[in-house]
Amino acid sequence: MTAKYAVFGNPIAQSKSPFIHGDFAKQTGQDISYQAIFAEVDAFPEALAEFWQQGGVGANVTAPFKQQAFELSDELSELAKLSGAVNTLIRLDNGRVRGDNTDGVGLVTDLEAHFGELNGRSVLLVGAGGAARGCIKPLLDAGAQIVICNRTHAKAQSLAELFADYGEVKAVAIDDLADNAGYDIVINSTSAGLAGGLIALPSSIIGKQTHCYDMTYSAEQTVFNQWAQQAGAKKVADGLGMLVGQAAQSFYLWRAVKPDVSVTMAKLRELLSRG
């Protein structure tokens, strides 16, 4: 019997998740269906309840519903609890719904694929919103030493305090970044670049060994990665691999099989290049 999955969002037409999970299913011989479901901003709980009633067994959740998915889960993974957001829902055999967050696992997997092992490396995490929060523990688990900076310094400080027990993490004000030169990896977790704007960062944070990663992605070079290259970054990468990586972890939680991320990524990159 075909197992039924979906991704919920608003907007959702642009979602690559149906393509990604369709490719995973072909690769691994899994009998699933996967659709994108648009939910009105104030009607996500009803849309999700209807999906479960129609036999859904798992779902992904994207903006703006990750926090609501957290609240609607009957039980939560440790990562979901720390993230304060859920992007993966699993319908258990007893009918309860388990919420998880696979974004951080997707990020770490992609960072290691592009830049090598993270253990002992200094990471500057730009931004202190939901995207950053969901990735801090997986980065710490991989051995990274994290500095968080954000336009609102208090938000960065509260995040650093939240994760203080899990590894080496601190907050630094943007004005003080110039004194913290040459990080191993700089990660942009903000979506500011999508609107053509960026947090004003000093180029001194980029050393000859610095790798830069933008959690957003596009067919062209992202605004952040353009800035990083101009500042002398050794290597840059965008968030397409994070997107595929978090999907692969969701797929694994649902189906207990791991697809080959590189195969799907190559297909997706080609799809993006065709517009």
Side-chain angles (χ1 to χ4, degrees):
M1 190 171 130
T2 303
K4 190 174 176 180
Y5 299 91
V7 58
F8 289 83
N10 181 337
I12 198 62
Q14 83 293 348
S15 176
K16 302 294 186 289
S17 293
F19 176 88
I20 293 168
H21 285 278
D23 194 65
F24 288 168
K26 282 178 202 160
Q27 262 190 52
T28 57
Q30 297 291 302
D31 183 11
I32 73 164
S33 67
Y34 190 106
Q35 65 180 129
I37 298 177
F38 174 88
E40 296 293 349
V41 173
D42 58 353
F44 171 64
E46 292 80 4
L48 183 62
E50 185 180 346
F51 175 70
W52 297 137
Q53 285 163 9
Q54 292 173 351
V57 292
N60 287 129
V61 182
T62 189
F65 301 127
K66 290 184 180 183
Q67 202 165 349
Q68 281 190 70
F70 176 93
E71 291 157 3
L72 290 167
S73 298
D74 297 312
E75 55 187 75
L76 295 161
S77 70
E78 184 189 19
L79 265 179
K81 286 175 188 172
L82 283 168
S83 302
V86 158
N87 77 334
T88 303
L89 294 167
I90 307 146
R91 191 78 186 265
L92 304 174
D93 291 341
N94 61 6
R96 288 167 65 82
V97 175
R98 179 175 172 82
D100 211 325
N101 191 308
T102 65
D103 287 332
V105 174
L107 172 68
V108 167
T109 302
D110 200 41
L111 286 173
E112 290 176 338
H114 285 293
F115 306 146
E117 193 176 309
L118 301 181
N119 190 36
R121 296 172 86 180
S122 60
V123 173
L124 176 65
L125 183 58
V126 182
R133 182 172 168 175
C135 294
I136 293 172
K137 185 173 186 293
L139 285 167
L140 292 172
D141 288 346
Q145 298 153 1
I146 302 175
V147 170
I148 308 168
C149 76
N150 188 60
R151 278 199 181 100
T152 308
H153 183 54
K155 279 189 80 175
Q157 279 183 311
S158 66
L159 266 195
E161 288 164 11
L162 179 65
F163 289 93
D165 292 342
Y166 296 93
E168 196 174 323
V169 55
K170 65 179 181 178
V172 171
I174 291 175
D175 292 346
D176 296 330
L177 281 178
D179 302 326
N180 292 258
Y183 292 90
D184 293 322
I185 300 171
V186 179
I187 301 170
N188 175 39
S189 76
T190 75
S191 56
L194 294 175
L198 284 175
I199 293 177
L201 300 167
S203 57
S204 62
I205 64 172
I206 309 291
K208 288 179 182 174
Q209 87 290 355
T210 305
H211 298 85
C212 291
Y213 190 94
D214 195 342
M215 286 191 191
T216 62
Y217 67 91
S218 66
E220 310 298 325
Q221 186 86 281
T222 67
V223 175
F224 173 77
N225 282 345
Q226 287 174 29
W227 171 83
Q229 284 193 318
Q230 288 163 6
K234 183 177 180 180
K235 188 177 179 183
V236 301
D238 71 11
L240 190 70
M242 178 181 174
L243 173 70
V244 180
Q246 62 81 23
Q249 182 66 12
S250 292
F251 194 84
Y252 174 71
L253 291 172
W254 293 329
R255 310 300 299 174
V257 288
K258 287 196 172 177
D260 187 334
V261 168
S262 62
V263 171
T264 306
M265 258 196 73
K267 292 178 185 175
L268 190 55
R269 186 69 76 183
E270 186 188 346
L271 187 71
L272 279 179
S273 69
R274 295 203 303 261

